[in-house]
Amino acid sequence: MKVMILKNFIVFEGIDGAGTSTQIKKLVERGNSCCEDRFVATAEPTTGETGRFLRRMLGGEFSVDEKTNAYLFAADRCEHIFGKDGVKELCDSGKIVVSDRYFFSSMAYQSVSCGDELPKLLNSTFPLPEILFYFEINPEISLGRVNARGESKEIYETIEKQKAIAAQYEKVISEYEKTAGETGIKIVRINAADTIENISEEIWKIINN
Ligand code: TYD
C-alpha cells in the first residue's frame, strides 16, 4: 500500500526534553510574523477527549497495557488528523501545520514494551508529513533538562526508558530514511544539543528552501 504525503504537514520528533516544543513555538511565531498567520502549531497527545485521557495515563493516574496505549494514541491521532478542524483540513486549506510528535512517537515509545508490530500496523495508513525533523540528543542531557523543569515526572521519564526509546527511534527513523526516495518524505536530523538560536536558524532555512 502506498502511503501518501500530506502536503504542508511538518512533524518534530525526539525523546523527552529534546527541545521540540521550544523550536515549534519559535518557528510558528517567526512564520506568522512574516507570512500572515499561515503557520499552526499542534501536538500529540491532543487536547481532545482521548488526548486528555492519555495525559492522565502519562501522569501515572492509572495504567493500561502498553498495547492498549498503542490503540489509544492511534485513536487520538485519527481525530487529530481527520477530525473536524483537524490537520488534514488545515493543510488542505493552505496552512502549514507543525506537530509536536506524530506516529513515529508510537513506533518509538510503545514499541519498547509491546514490540514493533502493533504500532506499525495501527499507524500504517496515516499520511506521512512532508518534513520530519528528528531531534537527536544524549538521553542523560535531555532527561537533565526535564528534571530541571521541576514538574512532576511522566511515566516514560526515567533514564532506562529514555535510552531504550532513543534506540528504538534510531531504528524507526533510519527505516524511513532508507525508503525516503520512494515515499518522498524529507527527514532532517537536528543536533538537539546545539543552541536554541542555531537550531531555529537551521530549521527556518530548511523550511524556506
Ligand atoms: P511531551 O510530548 O513531552 O509533552 P509535554 O512536554 O507536554 O509533556 O509528552 C508526551 C508524552 O507522550 C511523551 O513522553 C511521549 C508520549 N507519547 C507516546 O508514548 N506515544 C505517542 O504516540 C505519543 C504521540 C506520545
Side-chain angles (χ1 to χ4, degrees):
M1 184 193 28
K2 178 134 171 53
V3 181
M4 301 301 288
I5 296 270
L6 182 54
K7 201 171 171 306
N8 296 332
F9 187 33
I10 298 172
V11 167
F12 283 37
E13 289 277 359
I15 54 176
D16 294 83
T20 54
S21 315
T22 306
Q23 290 299 334
I24 289 180
K25 196 164 172 281
K26 285 185 84 69
L27 170 64
V28 170
E29 273 171 15
R30 189 167 176 181
N32 285 344
S33 63
C34 94
C35 312
E36 293 171 357
D37 292 338
R38 211 180 148 204
F39 285 72
V40 178
T42 184
E44 293 185 6
T46 68
T47 52
E49 291 295 336
T50 316
R52 289 210 294 275
F53 184 74
L54 278 164
R55 288 269 169 214
R56 289 171 47 208
M57 178 283 295
L58 289 165
E61 204 177 309
F62 60 88
S63 71
V64 293
D65 188 273
E66 199 63 353
K67 289 194 283 303
T68 311
N69 276 336
Y71 283 99
L72 289 168
F73 278 109
D76 185 41
R77 180 161 304 128
C78 190
E79 199 54 24
H80 187 213
I81 302 298
F82 298 112
K84 194 175 169 323
D85 302 322
V87 173
K88 173 119 184 23
E89 218 176 286
L90 289 167
C91 289
D92 288 350
S93 76
K95 295 278 186 192
I96 298 172
V97 181
V98 190
S99 182
D100 201 347
R101 302 191 178 281
Y102 189 40
F103 66 69
F104 308 94
S105 282
S106 283
M107 291 180 179
Y109 284 75
Q110 275 62 63
S111 293
V112 165
S113 33
C114 81
D116 299 5
E117 245 168 67
L118 186 65
K120 258 192 195 155
L121 180 74
L122 296 175
N123 290 288
S124 61
T125 58
F126 286 109
L128 292 173
E130 239 189 302
I131 312 177
L132 166 64
F133 288 99
Y134 173 52
F135 283 50
E136 292 183 293
I137 192 159
N138 176 335
E140 309 271 359
I141 299 175
S142 47
L143 195 61
R145 293 179 182 172
V146 171
N147 291 337
R149 285 181 203 152
E151 292 165 3
S152 58
K153 293 278 235 17
E154 293 186 332
I155 60 159
Y156 299 115
E157 293 170 344
T158 67
I159 191 63
E160 295 75 24
K161 287 183 184 168
Q162 291 293 307
K163 282 183 178 168
I165 295 160
Q168 186 61 30
Y169 253 131
E170 182 51 47
K171 207 171 129 190
V172 170
I173 300 297
S174 48
E175 273 172 25
Y176 277 91
E177 281 172 335
K178 273 187 216 133
T179 54
E182 296 140 49
T183 62
I185 187 174
K186 179 176 175 133
I187 300 178
V188 182
R189 289 178 182 252
I190 295 290
N191 169 14
D194 201 348
T195 65
I196 292 177
E197 288 313 319
N198 284 349
I199 296 172
S200 69
E201 254 336 285
E202 191 183 347
I203 291 172
W204 185 248
K205 279 191 194 132
I206 290 163
I207 288 179
N208 287 286
N209 190 338

